[in-house]
């Protein structure tokens, strides 16, 4: 297993090695939480299929020309597809002359002869962000793939895929990684000293891709702590103060998202897949879609008014990630489980806040953040979503 870069998933790595040693299914679905290593495992499998320096379960060798091209991201027979656009979706593409980055374009590429004369591999990241039309267009290729072609789908939530898609794929499920594995990864890469590695492993909840992103950008963790403290302070604020803080929070979360997205290597990280909303529509919300252009709000410094729709959605998704972890830590503090909070530097503030909140309020809000994740993936306006969440953010008695 020395040729694999995947960290902390021994059962999944063993399963992939067994495939390489016998026969690899023509379609494989790798699912699990964001940033746990789905893209890394998919790349390891692709490297094994395209390797020319070893055979069977000994692949990938990581030293042959093909393996080096995979590592550098320029192998002609390794095709990648990922979400794009303001809504961060994978679309079907135009019929006849599909645009790059669409399912129809990928399908048209796969029917061509291989560049290197061997296998061809397609990795679809965030496959659960394909709309229904795109999934339908991919279905025929899944049923009858071109000879020597393997499709690898990565998804945070496989339930967002059509049953007909899931039924045609062999499945590998990844969970979060043990803290020790994350610490070892950061140490082996020289990204963090032992105390910092331990703190980041805890902060990121066993998601190695996210841990690498934070370790690669030292300024990211302080911004995250700043966002969490601001949200805690807003529990003691009235509605007007909460709403006035919304755009500043969004803008600051956008800065954090930009730092994290620019940090780690895409081969290891699912972090950009990251920070996403989990849902297909905006049922129950009377909100409007928006174009991918700068908003026309205000021009005050520190706001997100000049950001594109895509950037504002990304910023909001990042803020929801911080908010979700904060609500989770509040629940743990309320239940007297301080050893398991994600950010121990906030422990005193978490305990003070949880003691003042109504019983069960943090738990109820945790469910609201999950619902917000789903709505953000549809046509919901990010700013309206944040306003609603801030108004529903549990208030301490003195601010009620």
């Amino acid at each position: 297993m020395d040729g694999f870069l995947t960290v902390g998933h021994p059962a999944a790595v063993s399963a992939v090695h067994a495939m390489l040693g016998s026969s690899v299914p023509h379609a494989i679905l790798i699912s699990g939480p964001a940033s746990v290593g789905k893209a890394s495992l998919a790349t390891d499998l692709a490297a094994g299929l395209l390797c020319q320096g070893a055979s069977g379960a000994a692949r990938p060798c990581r030293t042959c020309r093909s393996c080096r091209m995979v590592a550098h991201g320029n192998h002609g027979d390794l095709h990648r597809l990922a979400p794009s656009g303001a809504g961060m979706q994978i679309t079907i593409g135009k019929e006849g002359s599909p645009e790059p980055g669409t399912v129809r374009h990928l399908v048209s590429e796969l029917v061509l002869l291989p560049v290197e004369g061997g296998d061809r591999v397609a990795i679809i990241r965030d496959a659960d962000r394909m709309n229904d039309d795109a999934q339908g267009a991919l279905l025929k290729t899944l049923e009858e793939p071109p000879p020597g072609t393997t499709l690898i789908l990565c998804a945070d939530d496989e339930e967002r895929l059509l049953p007909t898609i899931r039924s045609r794929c062999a499945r590998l499920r990844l969970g979060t990684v043990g803290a020790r594995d994350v610490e070892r990864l950061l140490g082996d890469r020289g990204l963090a000293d032992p105390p910092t590695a331990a703190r980041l492993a805890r902060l990121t909840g066993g998601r190695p891709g996210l841990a690498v992103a934070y370790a690669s950008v030292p300024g990211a963790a302080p911004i995250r702590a700043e966002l969490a403290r601001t949200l805690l302070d807003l529990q003691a604020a009235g509605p007007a103060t909460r709403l006035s803080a919304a755009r500043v929070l969004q803008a600051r979360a956008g800065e954090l998202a930009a730092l994290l997205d620019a940090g780690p290597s895409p081969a290891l990280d699912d972090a950009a897949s990251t920070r996403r909303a989990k849902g297909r529509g905006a049922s129950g919300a009377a909100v409007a879609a928006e174009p991918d252009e700068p908003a026309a709000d205000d021009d005050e410094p520190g706001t997100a008014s000049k950001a594109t729709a895509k950037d504002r959605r990304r910023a909001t998704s990042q803020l929801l990630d911080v908010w979700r972890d904060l609500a989770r830590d509040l629940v743990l503090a309320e239940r007297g489980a301080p050893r398991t909070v994600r950010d121990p530097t906030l422990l005193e503030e978490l305990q003070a806040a949880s003691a003042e909140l109504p019983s069960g309020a943090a738990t109820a809000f945790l469910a609201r953040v999950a619902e917000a994740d789903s709505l953000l993936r549809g046509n919901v306006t990010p700013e309206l979503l944040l306003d609603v969440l801030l108004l529903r953010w549990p208030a301490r008695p003195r601010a009620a």
Side-chain angles (χ1 to χ4, degrees):
M1 301 185 185
D2 293 342
F4 273 46
L5 301 178
T6 301
V7 173
H9 300 290
V13 169
S14 295
V16 171
H17 269 284
M19 292 177 186
L20 291 170
S22 54
S23 63
V24 178
H26 68 273
I28 299 166
L29 171 60
I30 304 174
S31 63
S35 303
V36 297
K38 300 185 297 295
S40 182
L41 184 61
T43 303
D44 282 338
L45 175 54
L49 286 165
L50 298 171
C51 176
Q52 297 174 342
S55 61
R59 298 175 291 172
C61 70
R62 296 293 180 186
T63 58
C64 70
R65 176 176 175 272
S66 183
C67 284
R68 293 197 304 272
M69 286 193 295
V70 170
H72 289 92
N74 59 3
H75 197 295
D77 294 320
L78 176 55
H79 305 269
R80 297 181 183 272
L81 181 60
S84 60
M88 289 303 291
Q89 286 194 341
I90 299 174
T91 57
I92 184 172
K94 296 178 183 177
E95 189 173 4
S97 57
E99 321 87 288
T102 62
V103 167
R104 279 178 172 161
H105 186 270
L106 174 66
V107 170
S108 68
E109 290 285 305
L110 293 178
V111 299
L112 301 176
L113 291 174
V115 175
E116 299 293 325
D119 291 329
R120 283 167 299 181
V121 182
I123 297 176
I124 304 178
R125 292 185 58 156
D126 304 328
D128 49 335
R129 296 193 69 84
M130 286 189 289
N131 59 34
D132 288 348
D133 288 340
Q135 292 189 47
L138 183 66
L139 189 57
K140 181 173 177 58
T141 301
L142 286 176
E143 292 172 340
E144 301 175 13
T149 300
T150 302
L151 292 96
I152 308 172
L153 284 64
C154 301
D156 290 357
D157 186 358
E158 64 178 79
E159 294 302 316
R160 304 297 175 190
L161 293 169
L162 297 174
T164 47
I165 294 284
R166 299 198 304 267
S167 66
R168 284 158 176 78
C169 298
R171 300 191 208 176
L172 293 173
R173 173 74 184 178
L174 304 187
T176 53
V177 174
R180 296 292 186 189
D181 288 324
V182 178
E183 293 174 32
R184 191 177 305 112
L185 169 66
L186 297 179
D188 290 346
R189 294 196 170 198
L191 293 173
D193 56 33
T196 303
R199 180 172 63 86
L200 290 178
R202 183 170 178 174
L203 185 69
T204 56
R207 292 174 287 174
L210 190 56
V212 168
Y214 272 104
S216 301
V217 188
I223 297 178
R224 185 190 186 283
E226 174 193 326
L227 289 170
R229 285 193 169 92
T230 301
L231 289 169
L232 284 173
D233 290 343
L234 287 174
Q235 289 186 325
T241 302
R242 293 179 178 215
L243 292 176
S244 66
R247 304 302 167 259
V248 177
L249 283 168
Q250 187 187 44
R252 197 65 169 139
E255 294 174 24
L256 175 58
L259 288 173
L260 293 175
D261 289 346
S265 164
L268 171 86
D269 183 46
D270 290 84
S273 78
T274 127
R275 277 82 65 168
R276 21 214 155 274
K278 308 225 186 256
R280 209 180 272 261
S283 58
V287 292
E290 59 206 306
D292 188 13
E293 59 185 19
D297 297 325
D298 54 80
D299 294 324
E300 295 179 9
T303 70
S305 62
K306 296 299 183 181
T308 64
K310 176 181 177 180
D311 290 339
R312 286 156 44 218
R313 285 183 180 278
R314 176 70 183 87
T316 304
S317 180
Q318 181 63 61
L319 182 58
L320 290 182
D321 268 8
V322 176
W323 218 338
R324 183 190 306 106
D325 285 347
L326 181 62
R328 172 190 175 276
D329 282 355
L330 280 171
V331 172
L332 293 171
E334 179 184 7
R335 295 177 179 177
R339 292 179 179 272
T340 53
V341 299
R342 292 272 167 85
D343 192 351
T345 64
L346 296 176
L347 183 57
E348 291 185 9
E349 292 152 275
L350 289 166
Q351 289 175 324
S354 64
E356 294 181 340
L357 293 176
S359 178
T363 302
F365 188 81
L366 197 55
R368 287 195 177 102
V369 175
E371 181 184 5
D373 270 344
S374 295
L375 294 175
L376 186 61
R377 198 162 205 190
N379 288 329
V380 65
T381 304
E383 290 74 21
L384 178 57
L385 185 70
L386 289 182
D387 288 347
V388 171
L389 281 177
L390 282 166
L391 292 176
R392 294 183 177 181
W393 183 221
R396 302 187 197 182
R398 60 174 177 267

